[in-house]
């Protein structure tokens, strides 16, 4: 009769390596989990030094009455939230700066997206060769520096040598040259042309990339059913490209909120005409024109908070798109 032998008991020597192996595994897992952060650490350190620390410094200055005297003596003159209280209680903020900043951004985003979308629809109808040629041409406007574009538009509307005044006089619409930069509305109309001219190529190329993915079968079926071009756009194209439109609108809002060179470099935009101040230019003029660095820093912090709010909306939207 054969007997089944029980398996030999594990000796203490055989059991002892197990905890060591487990410890090595845990250390290995910890190292694997930390590896992405180790790889990101150099970039995060550089970002913290180049971007986060200047923001901290601006916030510190915004809590002080910081001017030329404090720069020369190195003394600190802490006033707490005094600069913020002064900025928020200044009528210039509510009657001039915010209307110019928010109103211009709203109009500029709407016009830029509308023009870019119309150009994208036209590009989608062209052949591949002409689409490439025209797209390359309009991208020149996007690649043009903001300073260069601003000087070009300033020359076009110049009161003495501007092409715009010359054309109006030739047509008999005006008798004398008009300085279009002295009026708040005509000033921002020129800024709007400048910003839209510089920004619509990005919208056009982005929307065009989305248009090429819209189902042609659905558009053809809607056309057969009698839907006109307007109905096909709102019922088929726009819902399909809604994520694309959301991204270009949010990015355009961020860019148009912090327009600076297009306003500052126009005649009167550097503080000579206070009726055209926006939040970015007002911060710069107070800081480097009036030597009130603390007050200018407080205005910059307020602008940064607005842009951070818009950025949070943008990131949340992108995360929702990834979850779909």
């Amino acid at each position: 009769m054969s007997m089944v032998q029980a398996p030999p008991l594990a000796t203490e020597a055989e059991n002892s390596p197990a905890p060591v192996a487990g410890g090595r595994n845990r250390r290995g897992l910890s190292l694997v989990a930390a590896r992405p952060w180790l790889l990101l650490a150099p970039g995060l350190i550089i970002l913290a030094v180049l971007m986060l620390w200047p923001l901290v410094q601006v916030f510190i200055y915004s809590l002080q009455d910081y001017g030329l005297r404090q720069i020369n003596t190195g003394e600190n003159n802490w006033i707490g939230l005094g600069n913020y209280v002064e900025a928020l209680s200044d009528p210039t903020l509510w009657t001039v700066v915010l209307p110019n900043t928010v109103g211009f951004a709203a109009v500029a985003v709407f016009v830029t997206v509308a023009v870019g979308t119309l150009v994208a629809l036209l590009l989608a109808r062209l052949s591949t060769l002409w689409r490439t040629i025209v797209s390359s041409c309009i991208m020149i406007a996007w690649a043009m520096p903001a300073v260069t574009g601003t000087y070009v538009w300033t020359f076009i509307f110049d009161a003495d040598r501007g092409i715009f005044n010359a054309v109006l006089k030739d047509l008999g619409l005006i008798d004398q040259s008009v300085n279009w930069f002295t009026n708040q509305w005509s000033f921002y109309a020129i800024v709007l042309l400048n910003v839209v001219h510089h920004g619509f190529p990005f919208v056009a190329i982005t929307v065009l990339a989305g248009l090429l993915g819209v189902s042609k079968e659905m558009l053809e079926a809607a056309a057969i059913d009698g839907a006109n071009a307007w109905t096909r756009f709102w019922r088929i194209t726009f819902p399909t490209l809604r994520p694309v439109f959301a991204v270009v609108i949010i990015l355009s809002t961020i860019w148009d909120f912090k327009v600076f060179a297009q306003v500052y470099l126009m005649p009167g935009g550097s503080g000579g005409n206070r009726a055209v101040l926006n939040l970015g230019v007002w911060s710069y003029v107070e800081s480097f024109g009036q030597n009130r660095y603390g007050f200018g820093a407080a205005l910059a912090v307020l602008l940064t908070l607005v842009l951070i709010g818009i950025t949070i909306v943008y990131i949340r939207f992108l995360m929702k798109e990834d979850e779909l």
Side-chain angles (χ1 to χ4, degrees):
M1 181 178 179
S2 63
M3 297 181 62
V4 178
Q5 296 181 350
L9 297 175
T11 62
E12 184 178 356
E14 291 172 341
N15 289 332
S16 58
V20 176
R24 289 177 178 174
N25 289 337
R26 285 194 294 272
R27 286 195 295 272
L29 291 175
S30 300
L31 183 60
V32 170
R35 187 177 298 169
W37 292 105
L38 293 176
L39 295 174
L40 289 172
L44 293 177
I45 293 173
I46 293 174
L47 285 176
V49 173
L50 296 181
M51 299 186 67
L52 187 60
W53 179 242
L55 289 176
V56 173
Q57 282 290 94
V58 170
F59 180 70
I60 292 174
Y61 289 146
S62 71
L63 301 177
Q64 305 176 48
D65 184 11
Y66 201 82
L68 288 178
R69 184 174 181 276
Q70 283 70 32
I71 293 178
N72 293 327
T73 61
E75 298 175 351
N76 296 322
N77 187 13
W78 300 96
I79 58 173
L81 299 177
N83 287 322
Y84 294 97
V85 174
E86 180 182 351
L88 295 175
S89 60
D90 193 330
T92 304
L93 176 67
W94 305 104
T95 59
V96 177
V97 174
L98 275 185
N100 287 343
T101 305
V102 179
F104 173 78
V107 175
V109 169
F110 176 78
V111 177
T112 303
V113 174
V115 173
T117 303
L118 290 175
V119 173
L121 292 172
L122 294 175
L123 289 174
R125 292 176 173 271
L126 298 178
S127 63
T128 304
L129 176 62
W130 282 108
R131 188 186 302 153
T132 304
I133 295 174
V134 176
S135 300
S136 302
C137 292
I138 66 173
M139 287 304 290
I140 295 175
W142 194 51
M144 183 184 297
V147 175
T148 306
T150 302
Y151 282 131
V152 170
W153 285 101
T154 301
F155 174 74
I156 291 174
F157 288 92
D158 185 77
D160 299 324
R161 298 170 297 174
I163 300 172
F164 188 70
N165 273 325
V167 172
L168 292 183
K169 285 193 289 187
D170 292 340
L171 294 175
L173 298 177
I174 58 175
D175 297 327
Q176 297 180 348
S177 296
V178 178
N179 188 351
W180 302 99
F181 299 100
T182 56
N183 181 271
Q184 178 187 11
W185 297 103
S186 57
F187 181 95
Y188 269 100
I190 300 171
V191 176
L192 179 65
L193 289 174
N194 186 5
V195 171
V196 172
H197 169 256
H198 189 260
F200 88 88
F202 169 77
V203 178
I205 299 302
T206 305
V207 175
L208 174 64
L211 283 174
L212 297 180
V214 177
S215 173
K216 294 182 179 179
E217 290 76 9
M218 293 179 61
L219 295 174
E220 292 174 356
I224 293 174
D225 290 340
N228 56 29
W230 181 257
T231 304
R232 293 198 299 273
F233 176 80
W234 281 111
R235 296 296 179 86
I236 299 176
T237 304
F238 184 77
T240 306
L241 300 184
R242 185 174 296 168
V244 177
F245 281 113
V247 170
V248 296
I249 288 173
I250 293 173
L251 287 178
S252 297
T253 303
I254 294 173
W255 294 336
D256 294 341
F257 241 97
K258 58 185 184 65
V259 164
F260 175 79
Q262 292 90 337
V263 175
Y264 186 80
L265 296 178
M266 290 279 186
S270 59
N273 183 6
R274 294 185 67 84
V276 300
L277 287 176
N278 66 3
L279 199 50
V281 174
W282 192 28
S283 172
Y284 185 88
V285 169
E286 291 292 338
S287 297
F288 301 100
Q290 305 296 328
N291 296 323
R292 301 185 64 199
Y293 303 103
F295 185 69
L299 297 175
V301 170
L302 293 176
L303 178 60
T304 303
L305 291 176
V306 174
L307 294 178
I308 288 175
I310 298 173
T311 304
I312 290 174
V313 174
Y314 172 64
I315 293 176
R316 285 177 59 86
F317 175 80
L318 292 181
M319 293 178 67
K320 288 182 179 179
E321 288 297 312
D322 292 337
E323 293 173 356
L324 294 178

